[in-house]
Structure formats: C-alpha cells, structure tokens
Amino acid sequence: QPQLMASGGGSVQTGGSLRLSCSDSRNSVSRSCAGWFRQRPGEEREGIASLSMNDNPYYTDSMKGRVTVSRDRGLKTLYLQMDNLTPEDTAAYSCGTRGGGGRCDDPDSWKIVTWSQETQVTVSL
C-alpha cells in the first residue's frame, strides 16, 4: 500500500469547488512540511501550496485566494480546498511530503519527496 493516497479529484464546471485529500499511512503529513502539486497537460509538475510543520501555509501567486491547504493530524490527512476553479486548473494533482532539501515555502525546491499517486481534476466551461 502506498504511503500517501490522494483523492477527491473529479469534473466540475468553471466556478466550482473541490476538496482534495491526501491520507498518509505513516502520518508523515502531521510531522513534515507537506504540499500539493499539479501537472497540467504538456507542462511539468509544479508546486502550488505547502504547509509547514507549524501549520503555516504557503501558496503560489496563481493560487492565492482560491485554495486553502490544511491538515487533520488525527485523521493523518492533508487537504486542499479549491474554489472558483477555471479550465486552467485542469491537471493531475498529487501531494507530497518534504524529506529534505529546499524550503518548505517553495515546494519546487524540495530535493527528497514522498509522492502520492495523482488525482485528476477537470474543469469545464
């Protein structure tokens, strides 16, 4: 069984909302800097949000005001609430925990990462 399991993707219309979940069988999401990534068609994977061990959230400029990252330590789960979605948000989303390297507030800088599988988000007009 994979350590991290991402879920919650689906198909929505523009302006809709989704909440992605990332469950962790080893509970590293509660003890680590953790974050969310996405890979849009034809593009490389990019980090979009992260949450420090002290629960300080960080967001890329393109996601600020539209997403909220949070965790529930009791449920060993990391969340990404996404609102006001647009077709440009169509992507394969995954979560990850930072094992080392880089800065927590810059997920693209992480060197050692434990990844989940992807969950697809499709936003239509």
Side-chain angles (χ1 to χ4, degrees):
Q1 180 181 355
Q3 178 180 342
L4 299 179
M5 294 286 290
S7 62
S11 297
V12 297
Q13 293 185 322
T14 296
S17 298
L18 284 172
R19 187 176 78 157
L20 305 183
S21 298
C22 176
S23 61
D24 184 355
S25 61
R26 300 182 188 175
N27 204 21
S28 62
V29 294
S30 297
R31 301 189 299 266
S32 306
C33 170
W36 288 95
F37 301 77
R38 71 181 181 185
Q39 186 167 17
R40 293 186 281 195
E43 299 184 11
E44 294 186 354
R45 181 165 52 192
E46 61 172 339
I48 58 174
S50 60
L51 192 64
S52 74
M53 290 183 287
N54 295 325
D55 293 338
N56 292 316
Y58 306 98
Y59 306 104
T60 58
D61 288 342
S62 65
M63 307 307 288
K64 284 179 182 176
R66 300 196 298 123
V67 301
T68 303
V69 61
S70 62
R71 59 164 59 103
D72 185 320
R73 288 183 165 83
L75 294 178
K76 305 176 186 179
T77 302
L78 183 75
Y79 299 102
L80 185 70
Q81 175 68 40
M82 302 192 293
D83 300 311
N84 195 24
L85 289 164
T86 73
E88 288 68 38
D89 295 313
T90 294
Y93 287 73
S94 56
C95 64
T97 55
R98 172 177 169 263
R103 293 167 51 97
C104 185
D105 61 355
D106 181 8
D108 290 331
S109 72
W110 300 356
K111 303 302 182 185
I112 301 173
V113 186
T114 298
W115 297 106
S116 72
Q117 90 295 355
E118 297 171 335
T119 186
Q120 180 66 37
V121 171
T122 302
V123 185
S124 59
L125 291 172

